[in-house]
Every structure is written in C-alpha cells, then in structure tokens.
Amino acid sequence: MRKVMMAVVVSAVISVGGAFAADGKAIFQSKGCAACHNPTVDTVGPSLKKIAKAYAGKEKELIEFLKGHGKAIVDPAKYPIMQPQLNQLKSLSEEEIKALAEYILSVK
Ligand code: HEC
C-alpha cells in the first residue's frame, strides 16, 4: 500500500513539473493542430516533417509565422485554411510559442 502511495505522489510531482516547462508537443495537441498536421504524412495540412524542412535554420521566421506576422512558405495557396488557426495561439506566452516552434522543428 505504501509503495502504491509513493508511486501516486511521484507521478503527480512529475506531471506538475511538466506543466511548468512549456511543452511544445502538448501545446500542439491541445490547440488542435494535430487534426490537420500529422508528423510525417501530408493530410489536410503539410506534415510537420515538411514544415521542419522548410524552416530548417529559420526558427525566428517560424516563430513570426506562428505569431501571425509571417508569410506562408510551405503551401501558400492553402494559407486561407491555416490562417484562422493562428488565433488559437494568440493567448500563448513568448516561451510557449518558442517551445511550439522547437517541437515542430524537431520532427524529422
Ligand atoms: C484546419 C486544418 C489546420 C489546422 C487545425 C492547423 N493547420 Fe497548420 N496548416 C494547414 C494548411 C492547409 C497549411 C498549408 C498552408 C500554409 O503553408 O500556410 C498549414 C501550414 C502550417 C504551417 C506552415 C506555414 C508556412 O510557412 O507555410 C505551420 C507552421 C502550421 N501550419 C502550424 C500549425 C499550428 C501550430 C496549428 C495549431 C494551432 C495548426 N497549424 C493548425 C492546416 C491546418
């Protein structure tokens, strides 16, 4: 019983810790981005792999895009589908946007 209690306490501590450090993947999923973006296969939107390739070495530009200031470079003809999604990100902090960009760029 004691062991079980310890396990519960430990896992609670880990998940609380995770909530403080911005987790790009969790943000990506909680904001509904995954509905149109698969890591490796193009679906409604381009795959994250394709986006990561287009933005390789351009984290700053990707952050600008996510803030709604950038121009689409991956599939500009479909930007009207993507553009309204950026509203989901308006409430994010600078740190959260950066974590999100880093997650996208990490997909290979
Ligand atoms: C309704 C479907 C849909 C959803 C939901 C969606 N996207 Fe997209 N996304 C697209 C489409 C279509 C494109 C291709 C157009 C383009 O390149 O802008 C795209 C392109 C992108 C690009 C490449 C931009 C470029 O320079 O071309 C990024 C980055 C991106 N999406 C991030 C996100 C993030 C982050 C979210 C979650 C807030 C999200 N998307 C949610 C459909 C979607």
Side-chain angles (χ1 to χ4, degrees):
M1 189 59 201
R2 242 200 144 120
K3 260 195 183 145
V4 173
M5 284 298 288
M6 271 305 282
V8 170
V9 170
V10 168
S11 65
V13 168
I14 291 171
S15 58
V16 168
F20 281 110
D23 178 344
K25 188 174 182 182
I27 296 169
F28 189 81
Q29 283 164 350
S30 73
K31 295 292 179 187
C33 316
C36 294
H37 295 286
N38 180 279
T40 53
V41 182
D42 293 344
T43 53
V44 181
S47 67
L48 293 183
K49 193 173 149 183
K50 193 184 254 178
I51 296 172
K53 220 172 176 186
Y55 280 95
K58 296 189 196 166
E59 187 183 310
K60 250 198 189 149
E61 284 86 340
L62 179 55
I63 288 174
E64 283 304 301
F65 178 84
L66 295 173
K67 286 180 174 172
H69 306 314
K71 258 204 202 135
I73 60 170
V74 178
D75 194 351
K78 288 192 186 159
Y79 182 60
I81 303 174
M82 180 55 214
Q83 192 189 14
Q85 314 305 326
L86 294 171
N87 287 327
Q88 300 278 344
L89 306 177
K90 293 238 178 339
S91 61
L92 295 185
S93 69
E94 197 72 26
E95 190 202 353
E96 287 167 327
I97 290 269
K98 192 169 186 313
L100 180 59
E102 278 167 6
Y103 166 64
I104 293 172
L105 291 175
S106 77
V107 179
K108 300 225 160 61

